[in-house]
Short mmCIF file of all heavy atoms in Angstrom, two decimals:
data_model
loop_
_atom_site.label_atom_id
_atom_site.label_comp_id
_atom_site.label_asym_id
_atom_site.label_seq_id
_atom_site.Cartn_x
_atom_site.Cartn_y
_atom_site.Cartn_z
N ALA A 37 -24.97 41.78 -103.15
CA ALA A 37 -24.86 40.35 -103.45
C ALA A 37 -25.83 39.94 -104.55
O ALA A 37 -26.90 40.51 -104.71
CB ALA A 37 -25.14 39.54 -102.20
N THR A 38 -25.40 38.93 -105.31
CA THR A 38 -26.25 38.35 -106.35
C THR A 38 -26.40 36.86 -106.04
O THR A 38 -25.57 36.28 -105.34
CB THR A 38 -25.62 38.50 -107.74
OG1 THR A 38 -24.40 37.74 -107.79
CG2 THR A 38 -25.35 39.96 -108.07
N PRO A 39 -27.43 36.22 -106.57
CA PRO A 39 -27.58 34.77 -106.34
C PRO A 39 -26.36 33.98 -106.81
O PRO A 39 -25.96 33.03 -106.15
CB PRO A 39 -28.82 34.41 -107.16
CG PRO A 39 -29.60 35.67 -107.26
CD PRO A 39 -28.58 36.77 -107.30
N GLN A 40 -25.76 34.37 -107.93
CA GLN A 40 -24.59 33.68 -108.43
C GLN A 40 -23.41 33.79 -107.46
O GLN A 40 -22.71 32.82 -107.22
CB GLN A 40 -24.19 34.23 -109.81
CG GLN A 40 -23.05 33.48 -110.46
CD GLN A 40 -23.38 32.02 -110.73
OE1 GLN A 40 -24.52 31.67 -110.99
NE2 GLN A 40 -22.38 31.18 -110.63
N GLN A 41 -23.21 34.98 -106.88
CA GLN A 41 -22.13 35.17 -105.91
C GLN A 41 -22.36 34.28 -104.69
O GLN A 41 -21.41 33.71 -104.15
CB GLN A 41 -22.05 36.63 -105.47
CG GLN A 41 -21.50 37.56 -106.52
CD GLN A 41 -21.62 39.02 -106.08
OE1 GLN A 41 -22.52 39.38 -105.32
NE2 GLN A 41 -20.72 39.84 -106.58
N GLN A 42 -23.59 34.17 -104.23
CA GLN A 42 -23.86 33.34 -103.05
C GLN A 42 -23.63 31.87 -103.34
O GLN A 42 -23.18 31.13 -102.48
CB GLN A 42 -25.27 33.57 -102.53
CG GLN A 42 -25.37 34.85 -101.73
CD GLN A 42 -26.56 34.87 -100.81
OE1 GLN A 42 -27.52 34.15 -101.01
NE2 GLN A 42 -26.48 35.69 -99.79
N LYS A 43 -23.92 31.42 -104.56
CA LYS A 43 -23.67 30.03 -104.93
C LYS A 43 -22.18 29.72 -104.90
O LYS A 43 -21.77 28.61 -104.56
CB LYS A 43 -24.21 29.73 -106.33
CG LYS A 43 -25.69 29.57 -106.39
CD LYS A 43 -26.11 29.25 -107.81
CE LYS A 43 -27.61 29.21 -107.94
NZ LYS A 43 -28.04 28.98 -109.32
N GLU A 44 -21.36 30.70 -105.26
CA GLU A 44 -19.92 30.48 -105.36
C GLU A 44 -19.21 30.58 -104.01
O GLU A 44 -18.07 30.17 -103.90
CB GLU A 44 -19.32 31.51 -106.32
CG GLU A 44 -19.76 31.30 -107.76
CD GLU A 44 -19.35 32.42 -108.68
OE1 GLU A 44 -18.74 33.41 -108.22
OE2 GLU A 44 -19.66 32.32 -109.89
N LEU A 45 -19.88 31.12 -103.00
CA LEU A 45 -19.25 31.27 -101.69
C LEU A 45 -19.03 29.91 -101.04
O LEU A 45 -19.82 28.99 -101.20
CB LEU A 45 -20.13 32.11 -100.76
CG LEU A 45 -20.19 33.60 -101.04
CD1 LEU A 45 -21.17 34.26 -100.09
CD2 LEU A 45 -18.83 34.23 -100.90
N GLU A 46 -17.94 29.80 -100.30
CA GLU A 46 -17.72 28.61 -99.51
C GLU A 46 -18.58 28.77 -98.26
O GLU A 46 -18.37 29.67 -97.46
CB GLU A 46 -16.24 28.49 -99.14
CG GLU A 46 -15.91 27.18 -98.49
CD GLU A 46 -14.41 27.02 -98.31
OE1 GLU A 46 -13.66 27.29 -99.24
OE2 GLU A 46 -14.03 26.64 -97.19
N VAL A 47 -19.56 27.91 -98.10
CA VAL A 47 -20.56 28.09 -97.06
C VAL A 47 -20.10 27.49 -95.74
O VAL A 47 -19.69 26.33 -95.68
CB VAL A 47 -21.90 27.44 -97.49
CG1 VAL A 47 -22.93 27.57 -96.40
CG2 VAL A 47 -22.39 28.06 -98.78
N ASP A 48 -20.15 28.31 -94.71
CA ASP A 48 -19.94 27.84 -93.35
C ASP A 48 -21.33 27.78 -92.72
O ASP A 48 -21.97 28.80 -92.49
CB ASP A 48 -19.04 28.83 -92.58
CG ASP A 48 -18.84 28.42 -91.13
OD1 ASP A 48 -19.25 27.30 -90.76
OD2 ASP A 48 -18.27 29.22 -90.37
N PHE A 49 -21.82 26.55 -92.46
CA PHE A 49 -23.20 26.39 -92.04
C PHE A 49 -23.45 26.95 -90.64
O PHE A 49 -24.60 27.10 -90.24
CB PHE A 49 -23.61 24.92 -92.11
CG PHE A 49 -23.73 24.46 -93.54
CD1 PHE A 49 -22.78 23.63 -94.09
CD2 PHE A 49 -24.78 24.88 -94.32
CE1 PHE A 49 -22.88 23.22 -95.40
CE2 PHE A 49 -24.90 24.48 -95.64
CZ PHE A 49 -23.94 23.65 -96.18
N ALA A 50 -22.42 27.27 -89.90
CA ALA A 50 -22.60 27.88 -88.59
C ALA A 50 -22.90 29.38 -88.72
O ALA A 50 -23.34 30.02 -87.79
CB ALA A 50 -21.36 27.67 -87.73
N GLU A 51 -22.67 29.92 -89.91
CA GLU A 51 -22.84 31.35 -90.14
C GLU A 51 -23.93 31.57 -91.20
O GLU A 51 -23.97 30.91 -92.21
CB GLU A 51 -21.50 31.91 -90.64
CG GLU A 51 -21.44 33.40 -90.69
CD GLU A 51 -20.05 33.85 -91.11
OE1 GLU A 51 -19.07 33.36 -90.51
OE2 GLU A 51 -19.96 34.66 -92.03
N ASP A 52 -24.82 32.50 -90.91
CA ASP A 52 -25.90 32.80 -91.86
C ASP A 52 -25.38 33.72 -92.96
O ASP A 52 -24.65 34.67 -92.70
CB ASP A 52 -27.07 33.51 -91.16
CG ASP A 52 -27.86 32.56 -90.29
OD1 ASP A 52 -27.82 31.35 -90.54
OD2 ASP A 52 -28.53 33.05 -89.36
N LEU A 53 -25.78 33.42 -94.18
CA LEU A 53 -25.47 34.31 -95.30
C LEU A 53 -26.49 35.44 -95.33
O LEU A 53 -27.66 35.23 -95.04
CB LEU A 53 -25.55 33.55 -96.62
CG LEU A 53 -24.46 32.53 -96.91
CD1 LEU A 53 -24.77 31.79 -98.21
CD2 LEU A 53 -23.12 33.22 -97.02
N PRO A 54 -26.07 36.63 -95.69
CA PRO A 54 -27.04 37.72 -95.84
C PRO A 54 -28.02 37.43 -96.97
O PRO A 54 -27.68 36.75 -97.94
CB PRO A 54 -26.18 38.95 -96.19
CG PRO A 54 -24.78 38.56 -95.88
CD PRO A 54 -24.70 37.08 -95.94
N ASP A 55 -29.24 37.91 -96.81
CA ASP A 55 -30.25 37.76 -97.86
C ASP A 55 -29.91 38.71 -99.01
O ASP A 55 -29.19 39.69 -98.85
CB ASP A 55 -31.64 38.08 -97.32
CG ASP A 55 -32.17 36.97 -96.41
OD1 ASP A 55 -31.71 35.83 -96.55
OD2 ASP A 55 -33.03 37.26 -95.58
N ILE A 56 -30.48 38.40 -100.16
CA ILE A 56 -30.24 39.19 -101.37
C ILE A 56 -31.37 40.20 -101.52
O ILE A 56 -32.53 39.91 -101.24
CB ILE A 56 -30.19 38.26 -102.60
CG1 ILE A 56 -29.01 37.30 -102.45
CG2 ILE A 56 -30.08 39.05 -103.88
CD1 ILE A 56 -28.99 36.21 -103.48
N VAL A 57 -31.04 41.39 -101.98
CA VAL A 57 -32.02 42.43 -102.25
C VAL A 57 -32.44 42.29 -103.71
O VAL A 57 -31.60 42.32 -104.60
CB VAL A 57 -31.45 43.84 -101.98
CG1 VAL A 57 -32.43 44.91 -102.38
CG2 VAL A 57 -31.06 43.97 -100.52
N ASN A 58 -33.74 42.13 -103.94
CA ASN A 58 -34.25 42.00 -105.31
C ASN A 58 -34.86 43.32 -105.77
O ASN A 58 -35.71 43.87 -105.08
CB ASN A 58 -35.31 40.90 -105.38
CG ASN A 58 -34.72 39.53 -105.18
OD1 ASN A 58 -33.67 39.22 -105.72
ND2 ASN A 58 -35.39 38.71 -104.39
N GLY A 59 -34.43 43.81 -106.90
CA GLY A 59 -34.99 45.02 -107.48
C GLY A 59 -34.73 46.28 -106.68
O GLY A 59 -35.46 47.25 -106.81
N GLY A 60 -33.72 46.26 -105.83
CA GLY A 60 -33.37 47.45 -105.07
C GLY A 60 -34.32 47.77 -103.92
O GLY A 60 -34.25 48.86 -103.35
N LYS A 61 -35.21 46.82 -103.58
CA LYS A 61 -36.18 47.07 -102.52
C LYS A 61 -36.27 45.87 -101.58
O LYS A 61 -36.05 44.73 -101.98
CB LYS A 61 -37.57 47.32 -103.11
CG LYS A 61 -37.65 48.57 -103.94
CD LYS A 61 -39.03 48.78 -104.49
CE LYS A 61 -39.00 49.94 -105.45
NZ LYS A 61 -39.91 50.95 -105.25
N ILE A 62 -36.62 46.17 -100.33
CA ILE A 62 -37.00 45.14 -99.37
C ILE A 62 -38.41 45.46 -98.91
O ILE A 62 -38.79 46.63 -98.82
CB ILE A 62 -36.02 45.04 -98.18
CG1 ILE A 62 -35.93 46.37 -97.42
CG2 ILE A 62 -34.65 44.58 -98.62
CD1 ILE A 62 -35.13 46.30 -96.13
N ASP A 63 -39.20 44.44 -98.64
CA ASP A 63 -40.59 44.64 -98.23
C ASP A 63 -40.72 44.23 -96.76
O ASP A 63 -40.61 43.05 -96.43
CB ASP A 63 -41.54 43.84 -99.10
CG ASP A 63 -42.99 44.22 -98.89
OD1 ASP A 63 -43.36 44.57 -97.76
OD2 ASP A 63 -43.75 44.18 -99.87
N LEU A 64 -40.94 45.21 -95.89
CA LEU A 64 -41.03 44.94 -94.46
C LEU A 64 -42.21 44.04 -94.12
O LEU A 64 -42.13 43.20 -93.22
CB LEU A 64 -41.12 46.25 -93.67
CG LEU A 64 -39.92 47.18 -93.79
CD1 LEU A 64 -40.09 48.39 -92.88
CD2 LEU A 64 -38.62 46.45 -93.47
N ALA A 65 -43.32 44.17 -94.84
CA ALA A 65 -44.48 43.32 -94.58
C ALA A 65 -44.15 41.86 -94.91
O ALA A 65 -44.51 40.96 -94.14
CB ALA A 65 -45.68 43.80 -95.38
N ASP A 66 -43.47 41.62 -96.02
CA ASP A 66 -43.07 40.26 -96.39
C ASP A 66 -42.13 39.67 -95.33
O ASP A 66 -42.25 38.50 -94.98
CB ASP A 66 -42.39 40.23 -97.75
CG ASP A 66 -43.35 40.41 -98.91
OD1 ASP A 66 -44.59 40.32 -98.69
OD2 ASP A 66 -42.87 40.64 -100.03
N ILE A 67 -41.21 40.48 -94.86
CA ILE A 67 -40.27 40.02 -93.83
C ILE A 67 -41.05 39.65 -92.57
O ILE A 67 -40.81 38.60 -91.96
CB ILE A 67 -39.22 41.11 -93.52
CG1 ILE A 67 -38.32 41.33 -94.74
CG2 ILE A 67 -38.39 40.73 -92.30
CD1 ILE A 67 -37.44 42.56 -94.66
N ALA A 68 -41.99 40.48 -92.15
CA ALA A 68 -42.77 40.22 -90.93
C ALA A 68 -43.59 38.94 -91.07
O ALA A 68 -43.64 38.12 -90.14
CB ALA A 68 -43.67 41.42 -90.64
N ILE A 69 -44.24 38.74 -92.21
CA ILE A 69 -45.04 37.53 -92.42
C ILE A 69 -44.14 36.29 -92.40
O ILE A 69 -44.48 35.27 -91.79
CB ILE A 69 -45.82 37.62 -93.75
CG1 ILE A 69 -46.87 38.72 -93.67
CG2 ILE A 69 -46.47 36.28 -94.09
CD1 ILE A 69 -47.51 39.07 -95.01
N GLU A 70 -42.99 36.38 -93.03
CA GLU A 70 -42.06 35.26 -93.05
C GLU A 70 -41.59 34.91 -91.64
O GLU A 70 -41.52 33.73 -91.27
CB GLU A 70 -40.85 35.59 -93.93
CG GLU A 70 -39.81 34.50 -93.97
CD GLU A 70 -38.59 34.87 -94.80
OE1 GLU A 70 -38.50 36.00 -95.29
OE2 GLU A 70 -37.71 34.00 -94.94
N GLN A 71 -41.29 35.92 -90.84
CA GLN A 71 -40.82 35.67 -89.48
C GLN A 71 -41.91 35.03 -88.63
O GLN A 71 -41.64 34.16 -87.79
CB GLN A 71 -40.32 36.96 -88.83
CG GLN A 71 -39.10 37.55 -89.52
CD GLN A 71 -37.96 36.55 -89.66
OE1 GLN A 71 -37.61 35.86 -88.71
NE2 GLN A 71 -37.37 36.48 -90.85
N LEU A 72 -43.16 35.43 -88.84
CA LEU A 72 -44.27 34.79 -88.14
C LEU A 72 -44.39 33.33 -88.55
O LEU A 72 -44.55 32.44 -87.71
CB LEU A 72 -45.58 35.54 -88.42
CG LEU A 72 -46.85 34.89 -87.86
CD1 LEU A 72 -46.79 34.81 -86.34
CD2 LEU A 72 -48.08 35.64 -88.33
N ALA A 73 -44.29 33.06 -89.84
CA ALA A 73 -44.40 31.69 -90.33
C ALA A 73 -43.32 30.80 -89.73
O ALA A 73 -43.55 29.62 -89.47
CB ALA A 73 -44.31 31.67 -91.86
N LEU A 74 -42.14 31.36 -89.49
CA LEU A 74 -41.04 30.58 -88.94
C LEU A 74 -41.28 30.14 -87.49
O LEU A 74 -40.72 29.13 -87.05
CB LEU A 74 -39.73 31.36 -89.03
CG LEU A 74 -39.17 31.53 -90.44
CD1 LEU A 74 -37.99 32.50 -90.44
CD2 LEU A 74 -38.76 30.19 -91.03
#
């Protein structure tokens, strides 16, 4: 997925959109910190 593709999707607010992968990597530490903040 790209940010442009997600903008063009018809959004159903009951359903979560998948997150976008930036630079071919995901950072588990960033994900963990974000989940704690939530």
